Amino acid sequence: MAAASGSDQLANLHLDDVTGQKVSKTELKKRQKQRLLEEKKQEKANAAVSQTRPMSAEEEESNLTPNQYFEIRSAKVQKLRQSKAPDPYPHKFKVTTDLRDFLRKYESIKTGEHLKDVEVCLGGRIYTKRASGTKLVFYDIKAEGVKVQVMCQSQEASGDTSFEQQHEQLRRGDIIGIIGYPGRTAPRSRAEGQLSIFAREIVLLTPCLHQLPSERYGFKDQEQRYRQRYLDLIMNDKARNVLLTRSKMITYIRRYLDERDFVEVETPMMNAIAGGATAKPFITHHNDLDMNLFMRVAPELYLKMLIVGGLERVYELGRQFRNEGIDLTHNPEFTTCEFYMAYADVYDLMDITEDLVSGLVKHVTGSYQTTFHTQSGEEYQVNWEKPWKRIDMMGALEKACGEEFPPGEELHTTKTNDFLKGILKKMKVECTPPQTNARMLDKLVGEFIEEKCVNPTFITGHPQMMSPLAKYHRDRAGLCERFEAFVCKKEIVNAYTELNDPFDQRLRFEEQARQKDQGDDEAQMVDENFCTSLEYGLPPTGGWGLGMDRLVMFLTDNYSIKEVLTFPFMKDEANSGKDKKTAAEVVGIQPMVEEGIRESNSVAPRLMWADDELYSAQVEHVRRP
């Protein structure tokens, strides 16, 4: 009976053709019904897909790799270059309206209002492009750091080029000219419309051959931002604002000094002697004179020679070059402002520093209070308002180390050298060789004084052997009349009463030469011409130097100096550019043969100058106006 029952159950099962299983009739119907529903659902989905609009050219191009996009766009622009329909690189487009003025002037336009009698002509770069069918295109363009919407309707189009031709070639990043009128849109979905330019004609002024980073992800790679600063400025408003703030700061300093009868001058950047500061110089070579020259580390000596010559208030804003380490606050080339003022001393310079810098901060930020964030995320609240705190260097070191330091007149001796080595060991401070007295003292100051200077602070009372160009202190033997101003634990200003005694100056230079013999590459050399100038008489003078880059860092809240330089120094990339083709190479443009150039007969053809004399003549023609 059991066997018969099992046979009946098998006989009642039905084969599922899809899975190959045998199931009951009820289960089979259930599965078939479910499959039918899924088929109908898929059919609806397929129908929906077939009814959707085809992808636009821009949407298709968004899926390309950067190299694919570059090659395709270069080929299209090359066709425009050949056909001139339109010319992708026209000579001129007359801009009559600044976009910033446009936004201010027409901000009060009401929703739905159009000023068709007002023609505006603007230029800008396309940041977004969106089409609503074939007769309506929207652009967001940017110029001078601001953005506006451009609305293009086919019925408004004018000019020699059709509406479709005006817009089919335009892509993100292109620079365009817009001729139209101001107005405000009247959207159905919200009460207030958007101030826009209603375009009558769009003119391609310069195509962008490369694919811009997407709006969603932006351009955030730090190293690439520094290497491609132009793209950084296109994509990131913050980078632009930092450079504008820097410009505003430089303008303020120039105006401050000009209003006080200072004369701006320019001094040589290549010198036979690397003088004016304790720093390691870059060396270059003058071919015609067959001599090595040093890129300047500071303009100080030249500026003081101008004071000797009777220009009693001079200043220079310019680049300095120091062949030293690169870190968050140091770049091989950097900008300083130095001024020299006859009949002023270090105390006058403290007052000027407080007035100039605090006024600058107020002018740029609108307040005396600023915030600065370090690389580790530590936040400093800085109060720039005068008066600033003042710290005596030797007194602060004695308090920090718990020992009395040798008197000022002995700070340069071998005995003091041994004492300082003992202090370094006691305080567990490392100082790399050469361990000169000046270097060890500087290291201690960095560890125990500078670290406490968040708000602007003057450190005063430097030893003479740390300051070869500063005048000795009128009351304290062995020290000099010098101060350094620190903010956020970093130096921003260095100033002193200038040494104008030619006898003393030569002794100071000789001490620097002794330190150089000990292995200190940063020690200064003897500048005989400067020493001679002092013999003609330098009046009592105050000298002042400001590091522009660091001050910009603090006022723009950037802990890296690279953020505040237009084009920071970067190490070469491995294989940089070797595999990349230019736009001309992509489209197969050949170099034009110019007069005096012929093609080589070598296996790999190249362009070359006919002879060395012609080369020299051509170079001289290019060099000299």
Side-chain angles (χ1 to χ4, degrees):
M1 289 293 294
S5 177
S7 299
D8 292 341
Q9 289 177 354
L10 288 172
N12 292 329
L13 295 179
H14 300 268
L15 180 66
D16 185 339
D17 294 329
V18 176
T19 64
Q21 297 174 318
K22 283 194 172 186
V23 296
S24 67
K25 186 177 181 180
T26 303
E27 177 62 21
L28 181 60
K29 287 183 176 181
K30 182 179 178 182
R31 291 186 181 187
Q32 291 172 339
K33 185 177 181 180
Q34 180 64 31
R35 288 169 188 151
L36 183 62
L37 290 173
E38 289 176 357
E39 286 176 7
K40 289 181 178 180
K41 186 176 180 181
Q42 185 62 45
E43 288 175 3
K44 288 183 179 180
N46 293 338
V49 170
S50 65
Q51 292 174 6
T52 57
R53 63 175 178 81
M55 292 180 68
S56 66
E58 291 85 350
E59 289 171 330
E60 291 179 354
E61 291 168 356
S62 67
N63 296 320
L64 298 175
T65 67
N67 284 340
Q68 290 172 332
Y69 182 93
F70 175 66
E71 292 181 4
I72 293 172
R73 190 84 209 277
S74 296
K76 290 182 177 179
V77 172
Q78 171 64 0
K79 289 181 180 179
L80 293 180
R81 292 179 70 244
Q82 295 170 337
S83 68
K84 302 295 184 182
D87 181 357
Y89 298 100
H91 289 74
K92 172 72 175 177
F93 177 82
K94 187 175 181 179
V95 173
T96 61
T97 307
D98 186 296
L99 185 53
R100 295 166 295 182
D101 295 336
F102 175 88
L103 295 176
R104 284 191 295 265
K105 185 173 182 180
Y106 299 110
E107 180 61 31
S108 60
I109 290 180
K110 297 177 182 179
T111 296
E113 184 179 0
H114 296 169
L115 304 182
K116 293 191 175 184
D117 295 334
V118 178
E119 182 177 88
V120 293
C121 301
L122 299 97
R125 187 183 293 274
I126 298 174
Y127 272 71
T128 62
K129 176 183 180 181
R130 7 183 239 288
S132 180
T134 58
K135 305 297 183 182
L136 179 61
V137 182
F138 293 92
Y139 298 98
D140 286 330
I141 68 158
K142 287 185 74 173
E144 295 295 347
V146 294
K147 184 187 293 187
V148 72
Q149 176 178 270
V150 179
M151 184 174 179
C152 309
Q153 303 170 90
S154 61
Q155 66 267 28
E156 295 274 6
S158 62
D160 299 330
T161 308
S162 69
F163 182 83
E164 290 75 14
Q165 287 179 316
Q166 286 184 31
H167 299 281
E168 65 182 357
Q169 301 291 348
L170 300 183
R171 297 292 184 270
R172 289 184 66 228
D174 290 354
I175 298 172
I176 60 173
I178 306 109
I179 302 172
Y181 59 86
R184 191 177 290 274
T185 60
R188 298 175 182 175
S189 57
R190 60 181 187 275
E192 186 177 357
Q194 185 173 350
L195 178 61
S196 304
I197 302 171
F198 290 80
R200 292 192 173 104
E201 185 178 359
I202 299 289
V203 181
L204 175 61
L205 303 180
T206 308
C208 177
L209 303 182
H210 290 274
Q211 195 174 39
L212 289 186
S214 68
E215 291 181 281
R216 179 178 180 182
Y217 296 106
F219 188 46
K220 305 299 182 185
D221 185 284
Q222 192 175 66
E223 181 170 340
Q224 289 306 313
R225 284 179 46 241
Y226 300 150
R227 293 186 184 279
Q228 295 180 281
R229 183 63 93 185
Y230 45 87
L231 184 55
D232 184 27
L233 292 169
I234 289 173
M235 297 302 300
N236 298 314
D237 288 338
K238 182 180 178 182
R240 172 190 174 84
N241 292 335
V242 166
L243 298 185
L244 293 179
T245 299
R246 181 188 182 101
S247 177
K248 187 185 294 187
M249 292 168 64
I250 290 174
T251 300
Y252 181 92
I253 291 172
R254 275 201 169 99
R255 183 170 64 248
Y256 182 95
L257 295 173
D258 290 344
E259 289 173 352
R260 287 156 180 79
D261 295 327
F262 282 83
V263 177
E264 184 173 9
V265 296
E266 294 174 299
T267 60
M269 287 196 176
M270 294 187 298
N271 307 290
I273 296 291
T278 304
K280 188 174 181 179
F282 283 97
I283 301 174
T284 186
H285 187 78
H286 194 297
N287 290 334
D288 195 32
L289 299 179
D290 191 24
M291 65 180 292
N292 286 340
L293 295 171
F294 299 98
M295 301 298 291
R296 75 177 182 190
V297 294
E300 176 168 344
L301 303 186
Y302 284 109
L303 293 175
K304 285 194 281 193
M305 286 192 277
L306 292 175
I307 298 285
V308 171
L311 295 175
E312 295 183 349
R313 297 187 180 193
V314 295
Y315 76 94
E316 182 170 9
L317 265 160
R319 304 293 271 182
Q320 320 306 331
F321 309 88
R322 298 185 182 179
N323 196 358
E324 299 169 350
I326 301 175
D327 57 29
L328 289 175
T329 59
H330 293 88
N331 195 65
E333 56 176 312
F334 56 97
T335 302
T336 66
C337 175
E338 292 199 18
F339 74 72
Y340 292 82
M341 183 178 181
Y343 312 111
D345 65 10
V346 70
Y347 303 105
D348 298 317
L349 299 183
M350 285 187 185
D351 294 338
I352 291 174
T353 303
E354 289 176 331
D355 186 55
L356 168 58
V357 177
S358 63
L360 168 64
V361 173
K362 178 72 172 179
H363 173 75
V364 170
T365 70
S367 172
Y368 292 114
Q369 310 287 331
T370 63
T371 302
F372 179 74
H373 294 86
T374 67
Q375 185 183 24
S376 61
E378 189 176 0
E379 181 178 286
Y380 297 149
Q381 297 294 330
V382 185
N383 180 8
W384 299 81
E385 196 167 6
K386 58 183 181 181
W388 295 358
K389 184 179 179 180
R390 304 184 182 194
I391 295 177
D392 177 68
M393 178 186 289
M394 302 312 297
L397 284 180
E398 289 180 341
K399 184 177 180 181
C401 299
E403 290 199 32
E404 184 177 350
F405 277 58
E409 60 268 26
E410 297 179 10
L411 288 174
H412 66 287
T413 63
T414 303
K415 181 180 177 181
T416 299
N417 187 276
D418 295 334
F419 170 81
L420 292 173
K421 287 178 180 177
I423 288 292
L424 290 175
K425 184 176 181 180
K426 172 187 173 183
M427 303 305 295
K428 298 180 180 178
V429 175
E430 293 289 334
C431 179
T432 58
Q435 290 186 334
T436 62
N437 296 12
R439 284 174 59 85
M440 288 189 285
L441 274 172
D442 189 57
K443 190 67 177 179
L444 291 170
V445 171
E447 289 288 330
F448 301 112
I449 302 179
E450 295 174 10
E451 283 297 307
K452 297 180 180 179
C453 300
V454 174
N455 283 328
T457 303
F458 293 122
I459 299 177
T460 65
H462 294 64
Q464 283 182 254
M465 46 85 175
M466 294 179 68
S467 313
L469 297 170
K471 197 175 184 74
Y472 63 86
H473 201 287
R474 65 193 75 178
D475 300 319
R476 302 171 67 184
L479 304 185
C480 62
E481 294 193 351
R482 174 188 176 188
F483 73 79
E484 293 176 291
F486 280 78
V487 179
C488 298
K489 306 180 182 181
K490 300 295 181 183
E491 178 194 349
I492 59 167
V493 174
N494 185 27
Y496 34 82
T497 304
E498 296 295 336
L499 179 61
N500 63 341
D501 181 343
F503 304 94
D504 193 359
Q505 181 65 81
R506 181 167 293 280
L507 294 176
R508 301 280 191 90
F509 276 146
E510 289 176 358
E511 169 61 20
Q512 286 283 298
R514 187 182 70 82
Q515 293 185 20
K516 185 172 285 290
D517 290 340
Q518 291 180 346
D520 189 350
D521 292 335
E522 297 181 352
Q524 297 185 44
M525 294 178 281
V526 179
D527 189 322
E528 292 292 349
N529 191 33
F530 175 68
C531 289
T532 301
S533 75
L534 291 186
E535 294 170 359
Y536 283 85
L538 173 69
T541 298
W544 183 92
L546 166 72
M548 280 301 310
D549 307 308
R550 284 190 187 170
L551 189 56
V552 177
M553 289 167 60
F554 297 140
L555 296 193
T556 58
D557 193 11
N558 284 295
Y559 61 77
S560 173
I561 193 173
K562 287 183 169 65
E563 293 287 356
V564 304
L565 302 176
T566 49
F567 298 97
F569 181 83
M570 301 292 290
K571 185 178 179 181
D572 284 343
E573 290 182 289
N575 301 318
S576 176
K578 291 183 178 179
D579 300 324
K580 293 181 180 179
K581 291 184 177 181
T582 65
E585 290 171 332
V586 166
V587 300
I589 295 179
Q590 296 297 318
M592 293 178 64
V593 178
E594 299 287 347
E595 183 180 357
I597 303 177
R598 64 179 176 82
E599 196 171 283
S600 168
N601 293 323
S602 62
V603 176
R606 60 187 175 88
L607 297 177
M608 64 179 294
W609 294 94
D611 54 55
D612 290 338
E613 289 184 5
L614 178 59
Y615 172 79
S616 299
Q618 291 282 355
V619 170
E620 284 301 309
H621 175 72
V622 172
R623 279 181 183 162
R624 303 185 185 280

